[in-house]
């Protein structure tokens, strides 16, 4: 199955929620853990054990593992394997963007099944030009994986780039148009998605591009189900709301984490009816 087909099936059968595994030092302390490799492993693997069987997508933030060097990356490898074994798709949040052979090397690291970091999909940055992502997109096609491209992010610095206008489209609009082209004729859902923040307020951009939309900022960062309906309209059926702290703060008890994930998943279920 293509990534888009797998994701569509997962959202239909497991719910629409994506849970970010973001081992902030502050969250480790909240759980009574040291900010160390041992604390990282206890946190991340407990979260995955509790949450991955309940939701469609787990999204580890690579940076919070990389900060511990090779030992942290080894934990990330185990987290990816454990989450996939539990039936969740893994969207690795790496936001890579480069050109040529370097872009290909990133693609091989994260999307080739022979890699210990192989995931179902990754996040990517298009700001060296959308075609700079072609090695990642081509590799994703070859291995039935996905790529989520930054389009309209919630950070306050984003609009100076994303809202800049060319002759016909904004930069964000250009990214979305490229995604629509890459997803043309895909059923039931394209493999190539956009990252659009759940707290952007409003947009006139075309968000119904036949691909999935990762919407970070849902939950603790202020995004609500009403915001998702208002921002995405008819495209809400393709939205994957992403929450991290709102779920992870329920830990460290496994049952509390599981219950928090279930509640959040139930809250966004109606988006599939849009």
């Amino acid at each position: 199955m293509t990534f888009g087909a797998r994701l569509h099936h997962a959202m239909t059968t497991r719910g629409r929620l994506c849970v970010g595994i973001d081992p902030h030092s502050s969250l480790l302390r909240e759980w009574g853990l040291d900010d160390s490799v041992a604390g990282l492993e206890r946190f991340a693997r407990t979260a995955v054990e509790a949450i991955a069987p309940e939701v469609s997508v787990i999204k580890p933030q690579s940076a919070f593992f990389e900060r511990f060097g090779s030992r942290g990356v080894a934990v990330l490898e185990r987290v990816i394997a454990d989450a996939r074994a539990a039936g969740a798709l893994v969207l690795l949040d790496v936001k890579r963007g480069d050109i040529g052979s370097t872009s290909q090397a990133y693609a091989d690291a994260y999307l080739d099944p022979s890699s210990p970091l192989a995931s179902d999909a990754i996040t990517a940055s298009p700001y060296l030009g959308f075609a700079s992502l072609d090695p990642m997109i081509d590799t994703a096609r070859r291995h039935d994986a996905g790529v989520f491209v930054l389009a309209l992010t919630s950070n306050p610095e984003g609009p100076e780039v994303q809202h800049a206008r060319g002759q016909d489209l904004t930069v964000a609009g250009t990214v979305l148009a490229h995604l629509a082209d890459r997803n043309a004729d895909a059923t039931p859902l394209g493999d190539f998605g956009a990252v659009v923040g759940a707290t952007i307020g409003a947009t006139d951009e075309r968000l119904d591009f036949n691909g999935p939309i990762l919407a970070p900022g849902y939950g603790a960062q202020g995004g609500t189900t009403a915001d998702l309906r208002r921002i995405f309209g008819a495209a809400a059926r393709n939205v994957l709301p992403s929450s991290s702290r709102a779920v992870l703060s329920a830990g460290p008890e496994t049952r509390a984490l599981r219950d928090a994930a279930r509640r959040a998943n139930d809250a966004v279920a109606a988006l599939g009816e849009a």
Side-chain angles (χ1 to χ4, degrees):
M1 295 174 69
T2 65
F3 170 73
R6 295 201 312 277
L7 178 60
H8 183 270
H9 177 74
M11 290 194 295
T12 301
T13 59
R14 280 178 160 244
R16 317 189 67 78
L17 185 69
C18 169
V19 176
I21 307 299
D22 298 355
H24 295 267
S25 58
S26 59
L27 271 174
L28 295 180
R29 289 193 297 271
E30 284 183 26
W31 281 31
L33 299 171
D34 292 335
D35 190 18
S36 64
V37 174
L40 168 75
E41 183 167 20
R42 177 73 178 273
F43 178 95
R45 296 193 64 193
T46 299
V48 168
E49 178 186 357
I51 298 166
E54 305 295 331
V55 302
S56 57
V57 179
I58 292 291
K59 182 174 70 66
Q61 170 46 258
S62 184
F64 291 113
F65 295 84
E66 293 174 35
R67 69 193 182 101
F68 291 101
S70 60
R71 293 179 299 165
V73 174
V75 174
L76 177 59
E77 292 175 2
R78 186 63 183 267
V79 162
I80 292 169
D82 288 352
R84 298 181 87 182
L89 299 179
V90 174
L91 168 54
L92 186 58
D93 197 353
V94 288
K95 297 184 180 70
R96 298 298 191 243
D98 215 307
I99 59 173
S101 59
T102 307
S103 183
Q104 183 63 60
Y106 282 135
D108 294 340
Y110 304 123
L111 299 174
D112 189 319
S114 66
S115 168
L117 289 167
S119 302
D120 295 281
I122 59 170
T123 56
S125 173
Y127 298 116
L128 289 173
F130 196 92
S132 68
L133 300 181
D134 282 350
M136 298 183 197
I137 287 174
D138 292 344
T139 301
R141 287 192 193 281
R142 191 160 59 250
H143 297 300
D144 290 327
V147 179
F148 285 80
V149 182
L150 301 178
L152 287 165
T153 58
S154 296
N155 61 302
E157 304 86 0
E160 70 180 49
V161 174
Q162 296 159 17
H163 294 182
R165 181 169 290 277
Q167 285 187 330
D168 301 311
L169 298 169
T170 63
V171 171
T174 300
V175 170
L176 293 165
H178 280 297
L179 290 171
D181 179 65
R182 299 306 193 277
N183 290 325
D185 302 322
T187 57
L189 190 65
D191 298 331
F192 306 110
V195 180
V196 179
T199 58
I200 62 170
T203 182
D204 293 326
E205 303 290 0
R206 179 192 168 197
L207 297 176
D208 201 355
F209 56 88
N210 195 33
I213 302 170
L214 178 69
Y218 177 78
Q221 295 181 45
T224 66
T225 304
D227 291 329
L228 297 174
R229 286 195 175 281
R230 175 177 49 78
I231 294 167
F232 298 105
R237 67 188 183 279
N238 296 331
V239 169
L240 188 65
S242 180
S243 180
S244 177
R245 185 174 290 272
V247 175
L248 297 177
S249 292
E253 295 300 325
T254 301
R255 178 176 293 181
L257 284 165
R258 184 177 296 120
D259 289 346
R262 287 174 176 172
R263 288 193 300 271
N265 213 0
D266 290 344
V268 298
L271 290 173
E273 301 168 6

